[in-house]
Structure formats: C-alpha cells, structure tokens
Amino acid sequence: MKHFVTAAIFTYPHEITILKHLLEEAGLQFYFENETMASVVPLYTHALGGIKLKVHKNDFNTVKEILDNFNHNNHLKII
C-alpha cells in the first residue's frame, strides 16, 4: 500500500457509493481509508481527516478524470 496516494477526501459514506462502482468498473486498484470507522461512528470522520480515496500512483490521473467527469458531466453529484 506504500505506492497508494490520496486522490480525494469525503465526509460521509453515502458520498462514495456510486464512485466505488465507477472505479470497480474501470478496473482500478483503490481503497477507502477510514470508511468503516465513518460508517460505525460518523462523528469520528472529521477527527480522522475524512474518508480518503487511496489509489495506486499509476492510476492517479485516470481517477482524477473519473472524478471530474462524475462531478461535471453528470446529473448525479457527490455532495
């Protein structure tokens, strides 16, 4: 996991649901740091620094494109 970098940070678990599907569909390696803790104890999210999307550094640009496309060219939004 040492070759993974943070691509985005989210506050709530519901924000990553559709994004997980898009990343899996693209066949990318990723994980969400603090996802379980934020689901169990939502108030800890801020103390932990949020739910961090970690991706392999070689996939970083692809993930950024997916995030940009999802945020700007879609009627669904990560809020």
Side-chain angles (χ1 to χ4, degrees), residues 48-67:
L48 297 171
I51 302 169
K52 299 173 185 172
L53 170 59
K54 298 286 194 166
V55 298
H56 194 275
K57 62 183 178 181
N58 294 340
D59 296 330
F60 184 79
N61 291 331
T62 304
V63 170
K64 281 298 190 184
E65 286 178 27
I66 290 171
L67 286 168

Side-chain angles (χ1 to χ4, degrees), residues 1 3-8 10 16-33 35 51-60 62-63 66-67:
M1 299 293 173
H3 297 291
F4 281 62
V5 295
T6 302
F10 304 94
I16 62 175
T17 303
I18 296 171
L19 184 57
K20 272 186 188 180
H21 173 71
L22 294 173
L23 295 172
E24 288 172 356
E25 188 175 66
L28 300 172
Q29 296 179 4
F30 70 94
Y31 70 96
F32 287 96
E33 186 176 87
E35 176 185 11
I51 302 169
K52 299 173 185 172
L53 170 59
K54 298 286 194 166
V55 298
H56 194 275
K57 62 183 178 181
N58 294 340
D59 296 330
F60 184 79
T62 304
V63 170
I66 290 171
L67 286 168

